[in-house]
Each structure stands twice: as structure tokens, then as C-alpha cells.
Amino acid sequence: VLGNCFSLNNEAEEAIKFFKRAIQLDPNLVYAYSLIGHELVSMEKYEKAIEMFQAAIDLDPRQYNAWWGLGDVFQRQEDFAQAKYNFLRALDINPSNQVLKISLGTVLQEMGQANEALQLLSSAGGASVSSSRALAFLQKGRLLCLEARHSEAVEELRRACYLAPKEPGIHFHLGCACRSLGDSVAALKHFTFALDLANDRHLTDATRKELRELRGQSA
């Protein structure tokens, strides 16, 4: 419990200490290994995270959270083939988990398997949890943009925006899609929202770049 509290407060090192104490008390506490792995990922200590996820799987091969964790690490390292393998293993165990579908869909997108990715993301868009649905619509919208299907992208991204109106990434991609369709007014609106809501430097810089180019076109 204490470990989870520290995790929620973004105190990864303290969380890890308490999860390790839990393992000392019960070496077969599988979920604790996965939790340590996720904390290590947040610290970008990927090799150590892999060790923890693998330890969880060695204890319980049906620990889908650990398979997902391995996939997440490999995706961050851009080893998409390994990421796909591990996400598929997680989905075999928990086929109704929408987050797993979205993760696999994102990897398939990176591997150039657009049709398969769209099918998975469409399936995840029917999730009962609004946050999962919003993420599915966002990823599907991004993929449709990459496929130059901008009108369809706008529809998906608007669905995402309805569910998560304060998510800056959604507004950014909506701005990009609207700009591609020549709708400068809507693009300006969404880029402005993205800039107001953004708390990430990379997103802020990307949004400012888009705004400069948009205003340059209008000048």
C-alpha cells in the first residue's frame, strides 16, 4: 500500500523500496515484481526493468501486466518486433483489455501494418472506460493522419476530444488534421488549446512551430 502511495506521488525510488520489502516478506508476491518494473521504466532504467518483469513471469507466466511491461520497454527502445511479441502474449492472457489492444495497435502502426492497427484500435474504441476509448480514438486519428485520411482522422480525434477535452495531445493532432484539410480557423483554435494545456516541452515546441507556420501561410 505504501509503495502504491509513493508511486502515485511520482516518488519512484521510495516506491521501489517498499515493493522490495514486500518481496522480502513474501518472495512469491508476483505483482510486486511487476510494480518495481514499472517504476524502473519511469526512471528509464530499462535493463533492470526487464529483469523485474522477467522475474514476475518466471513466477507466474500468466502475469499479463509483466508481459505488457516488457512490451512497453521494447517499444520505448524501438524494438517493435519484440514489443509486438510481448503485447500479443499479454493479450492472449487478457484478450478483453483495451489498453493492451491500444499498445499493440500502436506498435503495428510503427511496423507499417496500418490495416491491422486500425482494426485493433477500432475494437478498443468500444471500451466502457472513457479514458481507454479516448486513447483509442487518439491513436486511430494519428494513424489516419499518417495515411493522409484527414477527414476520417478529424472524426476520430473529435471523439477523443469529447471524452478528454483537456488533453493537449488530442488538440495538437486535431490542429494538424484540420490544417491538412485547409481549415485554418479550426487548426488555430486547436493549436491554441494545445499550447494552453501543454505541460510537456516537446509538445509545446511542436505546437509553437505549427502555429508559426500556420500564421505564415495566412500572412
Side-chain angles (χ1 to χ4, degrees), residues 36-85:
I36 292 173
H38 291 303
E39 295 300 328
L40 289 167
V41 170
S42 73
M43 299 165 67
E44 299 185 357
K45 295 182 177 181
Y46 298 135
E47 296 306 316
K48 290 184 178 180
I50 288 172
E51 291 177 8
M52 289 295 106
F53 292 134
Q54 193 58 61
I57 291 166
D58 289 343
L59 285 169
D60 179 8
R62 294 190 60 77
Q63 179 66 209
Y64 77 89
N65 197 280
W67 287 110
W68 180 85
L70 284 173
D72 182 39
V73 171
F74 289 122
Q75 183 177 5
R76 290 167 185 261
Q77 295 178 329
E78 299 186 357
D79 186 346
F80 299 121
Q82 279 294 321
K84 176 183 175 181
Y85 170 80

Side-chain angles (χ1 to χ4, degrees), residues 102-193:
I102 295 167
S103 297
L104 179 57
T106 304
V107 166
L108 291 174
Q109 171 188 331
E110 295 287 355
M111 298 177 75
Q113 300 175 25
N115 290 334
E116 293 88 341
L118 286 171
Q119 288 176 2
L120 264 176
L121 293 171
S122 295
S123 171
S128 58
V129 180
S130 60
S131 59
S132 295
R133 291 174 63 204
L135 182 56
F137 290 138
L138 169 59
Q139 295 295 353
K140 189 176 178 182
R142 289 179 62 189
L143 177 52
L144 288 166
C145 277
L146 291 173
E147 295 289 300
R149 295 162 60 178
H150 302 296
S151 295
E152 295 172 77
V154 167
E155 291 180 15
E156 298 296 331
L157 290 166
R158 281 178 176 162
R159 291 187 179 106
C161 195
Y162 175 78
L163 293 168
K166 293 186 179 180
E167 173 53 51
I170 295 173
H171 285 288
F172 174 79
H173 289 290
L174 250 176
C176 291
C178 290
R179 182 184 172 192
S180 296
L181 290 172
D183 189 345
S184 299
V185 174
L188 179 61
K189 179 184 78 173
H190 288 294
F191 284 140
T192 302
F193 278 140

